């Protein structure tokens, strides 16, 4: 019986050691782990522009070009990030660094409703001290999808050549727009940004209003069959919090701007070439909002 107990203890120690080793390996080889390790430790930084969002912004928002022509910028976006994850990142940054002039928030394409409330990106949980003492919190379980993603990187020369610059994940590979217009449907232009799925968008906008930070939101573009003709809208959360949502997924914006064969990674993710072109629309929206005096 004693030998069995020793054997079980050995297996448990070995299992925990493997988990610790896996977490250490991710911190060294995974681009989003390394980026989050960098950004969570920012202290007394003075970025003028903070970019928030999920994987569509991670690939598609060119912070280096923003830095070169508008103001020093950093892209905090992570794949799979919820709005709550972005709020946690912003709150942490503002508590330790100088106030930026702009916060730019990028929503997923095609007026998709965010109906998952209170969901935090596992990488954010890891680096921002939000661990829970549960079996599924062990790294081998919590980050199992990253094993596949990093294995793909080993096999793909294009993925191995990827890099992170000012928080943007730079990928050069391209996938042609595979639009089948028979699949198209008329987009709903009455997105309810005040529904519970957008709760933390309100918190982010409120935090910016309280600190005098200019806040602007965007809908990211996607393939032609998912583009729409929806207008930009102003969203209000009470008398003191009002901001614009710029629709970059309009056919008359995304269509002429983006090359259907050269600028895409997938149906709603831009590659580096696409991010270069989208920058012009982002910059124009910032300048237009400044000139109109509508920034809070």
């Amino acid at each position: 019986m004693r030998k069995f107990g020793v054997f079980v203890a050995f297996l448990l120690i070995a299992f925990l050691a493997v988990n610790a080793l896996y977490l250490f390996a991710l911190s060294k080889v995974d681009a989003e782990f390394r980026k989050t390790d960098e950004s969570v430790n920012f202290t007394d930084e003075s970025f003028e522009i903070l970019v928030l969002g999920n994987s569509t912004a991670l690939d598609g928002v060119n912070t280096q070009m923003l830095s070169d022509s508008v103001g020093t910028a950093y892209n905090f976006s992570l794949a799979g990030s919820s709005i709550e994850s972005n709020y946690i990142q912003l709150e942490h940054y503002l508590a330790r660094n100088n106030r930026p002039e702009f916060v730019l928030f990028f929503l997923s394409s095609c007026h998709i409703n965010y109906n998952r409330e209170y969901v935090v990106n596992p990488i954010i949980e890891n680096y921002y001290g939000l661990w829970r003492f549960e079996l599924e919190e062990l790294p081998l379980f919590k980050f199992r999808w990253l094993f596949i993603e990093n294995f793909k990187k080993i096999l793909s020369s294009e993925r191995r050549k990827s890099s992170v610059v000012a928080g943007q994940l730079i990928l050069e590979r391209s996938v042609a727009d595979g639009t089948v217009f028979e699949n198209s449907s008329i987009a709903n232009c009455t997105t309810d940004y005040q529904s519970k799925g957008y709760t933390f968008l309100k918190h982010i906008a409120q935090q910016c209003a309280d600190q005098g930070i200019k806040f602007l939101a965007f809908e990211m573009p996607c393939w032609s069959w998912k583009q729409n003709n929806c207008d930009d809208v102003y969203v209000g959360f009470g008398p003191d919090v009002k901001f614009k949502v710029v629709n970059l997924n309009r056919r008359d914006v995304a269509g002429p701007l983006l090359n259907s064969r050269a600028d895409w990674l997938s149906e709603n993710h831009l590659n580096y070439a696409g991010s270069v072109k989208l920058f012009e629309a982002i910059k124009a929206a910032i300048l237009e909002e400044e000139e109109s005096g509508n920034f809070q």
Side-chain angles (χ1 to χ4, degrees):
M1 188 67 180
R2 183 173 177 275
K3 287 183 178 180
F4 178 74
V6 171
F7 176 70
V8 170
F10 174 78
L11 286 181
L12 179 60
I13 292 170
F15 180 65
L16 293 175
V18 169
N19 274 274
L21 182 62
Y22 179 54
L23 188 61
F24 176 77
L26 284 175
S27 70
K28 299 301 180 185
V29 304
D30 185 79
E32 290 184 80
F33 258 78
R34 294 200 309 271
K35 167 184 166 175
T36 309
D37 184 62
E38 173 187 50
S39 61
V40 76
N41 289 305
F42 285 150
T43 305
D44 295 326
E45 288 284 355
S46 297
F47 293 116
E48 296 168 80
I49 303 170
L50 305 185
V51 170
L52 301 173
N54 56 25
S55 57
T56 59
L58 173 67
D59 306 324
V61 180
N62 196 311
T63 27
Q64 186 60 59
M65 294 185 75
L66 281 169
S67 294
D68 291 341
S69 64
V70 182
T72 53
Y74 189 87
N75 190 332
F76 283 84
S77 306
L78 294 173
S81 272
S82 63
I83 302 177
E84 182 179 4
S85 301
N86 300 137
Y87 172 74
I88 291 168
Q89 289 174 292
L90 178 61
E91 184 179 46
H92 182 91
Y93 179 88
L94 293 179
R96 293 161 177 79
N97 299 276
N98 297 308
R99 178 176 59 85
E101 183 176 359
F102 299 96
V103 167
L104 308 181
F105 194 96
F106 292 83
L107 295 157
S108 291
S109 308
C110 208
H111 288 64
I112 295 172
N113 282 312
Y114 285 70
N115 51 17
R116 293 190 307 155
E117 193 177 20
Y118 308 123
V119 177
V120 180
N121 182 292
I123 300 176
I124 296 295
E125 289 184 332
N126 178 66
Y127 277 99
Y128 288 77
L130 302 175
W131 281 92
R132 299 178 300 276
F133 290 97
E134 299 172 2
L135 182 63
E136 57 265 28
E137 290 293 296
L138 288 169
L140 285 174
F141 301 139
K142 191 179 184 75
F143 303 114
R144 57 187 178 276
W145 92 93
L146 286 176
F147 178 84
I148 302 298
E149 290 301 311
N150 284 286
F151 186 70
K152 289 178 182 177
K153 185 174 181 178
I154 292 172
L155 298 179
S156 169
S157 61
E158 290 176 328
R159 286 175 179 263
R160 289 197 301 272
K161 292 175 184 176
S162 66
S163 60
V164 176
V165 176
Q168 181 196 8
L169 179 61
I170 295 177
L171 290 163
E172 302 283 358
R173 70 186 179 91
S174 61
V175 175
D177 182 339
T179 285
V180 178
F181 279 104
E182 287 79 1
N183 295 334
S184 300
S185 59
I186 299 174
N188 179 9
C189 292
T190 57
T191 299
D192 183 7
Y193 294 105
Q194 297 184 344
S195 67
K196 71 175 185 178
Y198 291 96
T199 296
F200 282 92
L201 186 60
K202 174 184 176 180
H203 295 336
I204 290 171
Q206 182 70 64
Q207 194 164 42
C208 290
D210 291 344
Q211 298 202 33
I213 301 168
K214 297 172 183 176
F215 181 68
L216 187 61
F218 298 82
E219 290 268 1
M220 289 292 280
C222 52
W223 282 358
S224 298
W225 74 279
K226 281 190 173 182
Q227 292 169 13
N228 57 60
N229 297 314
C230 301
D231 292 330
D232 300 344
V233 296
Y234 280 95
V235 178
F237 290 108
D240 300 323
V241 181
K242 185 179 181 181
F243 60 91
K244 189 176 186 180
V245 180
V246 178
N247 184 15
L248 299 176
N249 197 42
R250 286 176 57 103
R251 288 194 173 96
D252 59 350
V253 174
L257 190 66
L258 299 167
N259 186 302
S260 63
R261 300 191 63 83
D263 295 338
W264 297 97
L265 292 170
S266 68
E267 67 178 358
N268 56 5
H269 285 74
L270 293 166
N271 59 19
Y272 182 72
S275 78
V276 169
K277 294 175 183 175
L278 191 69
F279 161 75
E280 296 299 334
I282 295 169
K283 179 182 176 181
I286 294 171
L287 295 177
E288 179 182 336
E289 198 70 354
E290 280 203 301
E291 289 170 4
S292 68
N294 286 322
F295 274 124
Q296 296 186 97

